[in-house]
Amino acid sequence: VQLVESGGGLVQPGGSLRLSCAASGNIFRIWTMGWYRQAPGQQPELAAVISSDGNTNYADSAKGRFTISRDNAKNTVYLHMNSLKPGGTAVYYCSANAAEYGDGWSEDYWGQGTQVTVSS
């Protein structure tokens, strides 16, 4: 399973961005998908996750500003980010818990990350 993120870039404080992550490969099923962020010099941390039936969970810092959604038909997860803060610069990584055809188990897959820079 391969995950490819897109949508990162430079945004001014208070601005918005939408990240996308498309999964491809010999996919049997995808369960939870999510976004993690790693700020410079910091450990990665959860931003938001969404289950296959649409249940969501957000980091406290993301609540009210970020919205995670997914299109199961396209194996794609999105992260809409509003009111981005100057300290919001980070690399955002997509994750998916998925199984491939022929496997008897699921595992976690990760994308390469997309840079989000919040600066005026």
Side-chain angles (χ1 to χ4, degrees):
V1 176
Q2 296 80 45
L3 301 178
V4 178
E5 301 106 333
S6 61
L10 174 64
V11 61
Q12 293 187 343
S16 300
L17 275 179
R18 187 184 83 158
L19 306 182
S20 300
C21 172
S24 63
N26 191 29
I27 300 170
F28 169 67
R29 183 176 176 182
I30 301 175
W31 287 270
T32 302
M33 301 186 81
W35 291 94
Y36 290 74
R37 60 187 300 272
Q38 185 172 20
Q42 303 294 318
Q43 293 294 316
E45 61 181 8
L46 172 72
V49 292
I50 184 168
S51 67
S52 57
D53 57 1
N55 291 318
T56 59
N57 190 29
Y58 295 91
D60 287 343
S61 60
K63 289 177 181 177
R65 299 188 301 119
F66 293 4
T67 301
I68 189 170
S69 61
R70 65 190 284 176
D71 184 333
N72 291 331
K74 296 181 179 179
N75 292 328
T76 299
V77 62
Y78 306 95
L79 186 67
H80 296 254
M81 305 184 292
N82 297 318
S83 303
L84 285 162
K85 301 177 180 180
T89 294
V91 178
Y92 282 76
Y93 296 92
C94 171
S95 72
N97 183 260
E100 294 186 321
Y101 282 101
D103 286 349
W105 62 88
S106 67
E107 61 183 279
D108 293 330
Y109 296 89
W110 295 87
Q112 292 298 307
T114 185
Q115 176 72 46
V116 172
T117 301
V118 184
S119 175
S120 56

